[in-house]
Amino acid sequence: MAILVFPSAILLSFFHLFLTFNLANSEPFLGVNYGQVADNLPPPSATAKLLQSTAIEKVRLYGSDPTIIKALANTGKGIVIGTANGDVPSLASDPNFAKIWVATNVVPYYPASNIILVTVGNEVITSTDQNLMNQLVPAVQNVQNALDAVSLGGKVKVSTVHSMAVLSNSEPPSAGKFHAEYNTVLQGLLSFNNATGSPFAINPYPYFAFRDDPGRAENLEYCLFQPNSGRVDSNSNLKYMNMFDAQVDAVRSALDSSGFKNVEIVVAETGWPYKGDNNEIGPSLENAKGYNSGLISHLRSMVGTPLMPGKSVDTYLFALYDEDLKPGPASERAFGLYNPDQSMIYDAGLSQQQQINTTSPVMAPTPDVSKSPETTPVVSKPPETTPNVSKSPVVSARAGPRPTANKAEFFHGATTLPSSIIFFTVFILMLL
């Protein structure tokens, strides 16, 4: 009998160690945005291999490119796909359109491609298109119904993505509040999120908060997770050591005050440009590395935010690659983490070797970029022409980069649904 117990004990011990190691190295909170508004991107198969060499566990697409979805099959990476803003009216008015969209973009690939979320539109509420805004809730509901009809409801969640401009107040974080003009549509969306367990997806950008108030004391250090004296919330007396936590908690407060304490937050986008035009304040290689490496260390620490301690919010970095066809200032085309040849633009700490230490300090050291290519200098104080505002909100007037369209929408117009439905066979692999 003892002979039989001994090997079992060894096996159980080995299994425990194996499980502990894998849990320690599992970072499901780390994701990345994979935009395609570019003409120099590597093939999706190469990108899939790149992602497998990193600590990134989730990928957000702005559309539903089948070549990318298929390339990510059997990688274990969670995949977020999105509908075009231009598809929202058809999704809202025609349940069959929603069924066709799901049959075309989800059913043929799931579960080999681990699609976890469908985002219906991107930053629709702050798009100033009232008609689109009014159709958002029924569009989301019809996509959910279409997933339910093929027994994928609950397995694949449905939501939409918001810019920080949905907030009317954000400082201090405990006073976070949604704009009253968005109340009707937000109540509908949040009720849906609450009922289905889908997340409230938001795009916080400390970069824009810094850019709009660069003269505020220690603002750059506060935004880059570097040592600073912190800011105390005058209502809650909680102390904030970085802008990311302050922005996320402002959203938490807005959700709580609206009666939706159980709705989880997902950070759908956040990042910092590594270069920009000469008149742009804040973009530099050093600042981008400081922000993203500091954020990753903060997430890995599992410290959480002052209002949500002890857990890390799922966070999708913006972005995997630069999108060289995006309009606007140079910074719009300089949020990438990797070059088209898959080399790192800078080391943000995403390699698999760097994910083993899950107790990295929350404060990121100032990066050494002595060997980096020439970049825009770090700006610690504004030029003379910039007004020095004594107190700025957590949310800037411009709450994020220009919304990223999916590739088909950018090049060919509003809708992205192919003309025919793809039929499929799903193969189930069983591990014995």
Side-chain angles (χ1 to χ4, degrees):
M1 181 66 71
I3 297 174
L4 292 174
V5 172
F6 180 68
S8 298
I10 293 177
L11 183 61
L12 286 172
S13 298
F14 175 79
F15 178 75
H16 175 74
L17 289 172
F18 176 80
L19 184 62
T20 301
F21 176 81
N22 279 276
L23 287 174
N25 287 280
S26 175
E27 298 179 335
F29 46 78
L30 274 181
V32 72
N33 285 271
Y34 184 174
Q36 293 178 273
V37 184
D39 60 5
N40 61 350
L41 299 181
S45 58
T47 297
K49 290 180 181 178
L50 168 64
L51 289 168
Q52 288 180 289
S53 72
T54 72
I56 296 166
E57 291 296 326
K58 298 176 181 177
V59 183
R60 179 189 170 207
L61 309 180
Y62 291 87
S64 53
D65 188 323
T67 59
I68 297 177
I69 297 173
K70 286 188 285 188
L72 292 170
N74 303 311
T75 63
K77 306 298 182 185
I79 306 167
V80 178
I81 62 174
T83 78
N85 285 1
D87 283 337
V88 169
S90 296
L91 290 168
S93 62
D94 185 359
N96 286 328
F97 187 92
K99 290 179 180 178
I100 293 172
W101 196 95
V102 167
T104 304
N105 297 295
V106 180
V107 174
Y109 313 112
Y110 186 90
S113 296
N114 184 26
I115 299 170
I116 57 174
L117 178 67
V118 175
T119 57
V120 179
N122 187 37
E123 299 187 358
V124 170
I125 288 182
T126 51
S127 68
T128 71
D129 188 330
Q130 189 66 43
N131 182 53
L132 207 60
M133 191 190 312
N134 292 338
Q135 297 181 86
L136 188 55
V137 174
V140 167
Q141 187 62 63
N142 279 341
V143 172
Q144 180 66 55
N145 293 342
L147 287 167
D148 290 343
V150 291
S151 301
L152 290 179
K155 298 175 183 177
V156 180
K157 301 291 187 181
V158 184
S159 192
T160 189
V161 179
H162 309 278
S163 79
M164 286 291 287
V166 295
L167 296 183
S168 62
N169 191 39
S170 56
E171 189 170 12
S174 61
K177 188 176 181 180
F178 293 120
H179 271 288
E181 64 187 287
Y182 304 143
N183 276 350
T184 300
V185 64
L186 277 174
Q187 281 293 318
L189 284 168
L190 290 170
S191 295
F192 173 86
N193 293 143
N194 192 53
T196 62
S198 65
F200 183 84
I202 190 76
N203 296 340
Y205 277 90
Y207 161 67
F208 288 98
F210 167 73
R211 186 202 64 180
D212 289 355
D213 192 10
R216 186 173 180 177
E218 295 188 315
N219 209 11
L220 185 63
E221 293 82 358
Y222 187 66
C223 288
L224 297 184
F225 298 89
Q226 292 175 354
N228 65 90
S229 56
R231 299 176 188 176
V232 176
D233 186 313
S234 57
N235 296 328
S236 66
N237 289 322
L238 293 171
K239 189 172 186 179
Y240 286 82
M241 300 306 298
N242 64 80
M243 180 66 80
F244 177 83
D245 283 355
Q247 290 186 330
V248 171
D249 274 2
V251 176
R252 181 73 270 160
S253 295
L255 289 168
D256 292 354
S257 65
S258 298
F260 295 97
K261 294 184 178 182
N262 293 327
V263 173
E264 295 288 333
I265 295 171
V266 163
V267 173
E269 288 181 22
T270 190
W272 197 289
Y274 63 87
K275 66 180 179 181
D277 294 321
N278 290 334
N279 63 347
E280 292 191 82
I281 299 171
S284 76
L285 196 68
E286 185 176 8
N287 287 351
K289 181 176 180 180
Y291 178 73
N292 281 313
S293 62
L295 173 60
I296 292 166
S297 293
H298 182 49
L299 294 172
R300 282 176 174 159
S301 74
M302 301 298 288
V303 169
T305 72
L307 283 181
M308 296 181 290
K311 64 176 182 178
S312 291
V313 173
D314 282 7
T315 300
Y316 292 78
L317 304 175
F318 188 84
L320 186 60
Y321 301 115
D322 288 340
E323 294 178 271
D324 66 329
L325 298 180
K326 291 188 79 171
S331 60
E332 293 281 348
R333 296 173 292 283
F335 278 87
L337 295 163
Y338 293 90
N339 291 302
D341 66 0
Q342 286 123 64
S343 62
M344 291 184 293
I345 294 175
Y346 55 87
D347 187 355
L350 286 170
S351 68
Q352 287 183 339
Q353 293 90 333
Q354 293 166 306
Q355 76 181 107
I356 294 176
N357 180 9
T358 58
T359 57
S360 303
V362 177
M363 294 296 183
T366 302
D368 178 9
V369 292
S370 59
K371 297 181 181 180
S372 301
E374 183 178 352
T375 62
T376 306
V378 176
V379 179
S380 58
K381 58 184 179 180
E384 293 180 358
T385 56
T386 303
N388 186 355
V389 183
S390 59
K391 184 176 181 180
S392 67
V394 171
V395 182
S396 64
R398 173 75 179 285
R402 297 173 189 274
T404 298
N406 68 53
K407 187 175 182 180
E409 186 173 23
F410 181 82
F411 286 109
H412 304 301
T415 60
T416 60
L417 187 68
S419 58
S420 61
I421 303 174
I422 302 173
F423 294 97
F424 76 106
T425 302
V426 175
F427 293 95
I428 300 175
L429 298 177
M430 300 186 67
L431 299 177
L432 300 177

